[in-house]
Structure formats: structure tokens, C-alpha cells
Amino acid sequence: MKKSTRAVLLSALGAPGIGEIHLGRPARGLAILGLFLVLCAVLIGAWALQVYSVLGAFGRSGEEPDPMRIWTDLGLAFAPYARLYVAGLGGVILLWLISVFETYRLGRKGE
């Protein structure tokens, strides 16, 4: 398997930036990988805080949590931030696609 093909597969199936590192561009690859990890951490952290706040409200009230009520409350908690989550997820996907394209371009250029 060619080095460029391996690099594209690493970026597509692994994480963005890994293919650039494999092709000998560590600074660029680490920058892309770092941005990807920060975006993912922010999205997961925001999600976890909202889930914690909804579930914590049930714990403080002392009432028996009804699964349907939990889902309803989670939906209400996430609704105001839906656009931000979609934008963040879109950013992650766009970064991933750009990384795969750039890895392919760099690999073809180096052959």
C-alpha cells in the first residue's frame, strides 16, 4: 500500500491530522489534531454539563425520576442550544473532511 493511501486512511478512519503526521508534516498534523480534540472536548463537556444539571435536579428534589420526564427535561434543556451543537458538530465534520482532502493532496504531491 502506498504511503499516501495509508495517510488518507489514517485521516479518514483515525483522526484528522494523523495522515499529515504520517506524511512528515508534524506541525500541521498536530495543529489539526489539536483543534479536532478541542472541538470534541467542548461539545462533550457542554453535553455532559447539561445532562448533569437535569439529572441533578431530580436528585435534589428527592422525587422518583420518570424516564419520560427525564427525556422531556433533557429535550427542553438542549433546545436553546441546538444551533450551537449543530454548528459545533458541523465544524468537526468539516475539519475531518478538509483533513482527508489535504492529506490526499499532500500525498499525491509527494509521489
Side-chain angles (χ1 to χ4, degrees), residues 29-86:
L30 289 172
I32 292 172
L33 182 60
L35 182 59
F36 172 75
L37 293 175
V38 166
L39 280 172
C40 287
V42 167
L43 284 172
I44 292 169
W47 175 83
L49 283 173
Q50 286 186 303
V51 169
Y52 177 77
S53 69
V54 168
L55 295 180
F58 282 106
R60 287 188 297 277
S61 69
E63 65 182 90
E64 181 75 27
D66 174 37
M68 284 307 294
R69 172 109 188 269
I70 292 173
W71 283 112
T72 302
D73 287 358
L74 283 172
L76 292 173
F78 282 105
Y81 305 103
R83 287 184 180 162
L84 291 175
Y85 283 111
V86 169

